[in-house]
Amino acid sequence: MSTDSPAMLPVQRPDVDLREMSPLALAFVGDAVLELLVRARLVGSTRLPPGRLHAEATRYVSAKAQFRELSALEPLLTEAEAAVLRRGKNASKATVAKHATAQEYRASTGLECLLGWLYLQGELDRVGQLFEALWQAGGDPARAES
């Protein structure tokens, strides 16, 4: 699989101004973008059976994993990206994931918000750059095959 750009569906530009869009709506899209990228990478780089694929994917998409990966991404962010990340982290949610702290959950929402914002802007190259850094921070899935 090429690392030049992410393997995703074409961008559907929203009719709504992204600055007016709810950070949770952006996170909703970003969650799907991240899930698609992780699944595509795992299928393209491993020979794990479906059950193991799911378990491996959670190493990248769980709130705990995203909290860890965010520390690798934050130094790479532009000022505008960091502002979107903060907006996502500060979005209020009624519930918290059962296997994550409130801090981890808010950070994961921020990361998903950022990915959704970039994707909806058509910034696929930037999504790809950040995904590569995130992937490296998540570890090597090839070890799961042994």
Side-chain angles (χ1 to χ4, degrees):
M1 178 177 283
S2 169
T3 58
D4 295 335
S5 65
M8 294 191 299
L9 298 172
V11 175
Q12 298 293 316
R13 296 207 185 259
D15 294 332
V16 177
D17 185 336
L18 290 178
R19 293 172 295 197
E20 296 174 10
M21 194 174 285
S22 158
L24 296 180
L26 294 171
F28 177 74
V29 172
D31 176 60
V33 168
L34 181 58
E35 185 77 32
L36 178 61
L37 289 170
V38 167
R39 287 179 180 211
R41 179 65 60 88
L42 286 173
V43 168
S45 64
T46 70
R47 292 183 174 209
L48 296 172
R52 296 273 314 274
L53 282 169
H54 175 74
E56 192 62 28
T58 61
R59 288 186 51 231
Y60 296 89
V61 299
S62 71
K64 283 184 179 296
Q66 290 175 9
F67 177 75
R68 181 184 64 247
E69 294 154 359
L70 195 53
S71 65
L73 295 184
E74 284 182 303
L76 307 174
L77 300 181
T78 66
E79 200 172 300
E81 291 167 347
V84 172
L85 175 68
R86 275 190 305 279
R87 220 177 122 209
K89 282 181 174 181
N90 292 330
S92 63
K93 285 192 161 186
T95 61
V96 174
K98 60 184 170 185
H99 299 294
T101 66
Q103 182 184 19
E104 290 166 337
Y105 197 59
R106 290 169 74 85
S108 71
T109 301
L111 175 59
E112 291 167 352
C113 179
L114 172 61
L115 292 174
W117 179 74
L118 288 168
Y119 175 78
L120 291 172
Q121 288 190 105
E123 295 288 337
L124 301 184
D125 287 342
R126 186 61 175 152
V127 170
Q129 291 169 356
L130 294 178
F131 177 71
E132 289 306 321
L134 177 150
W135 186 260
Q136 296 305 314
D140 180 10
R143 69 162 176 71
E145 292 189 78
S146 51

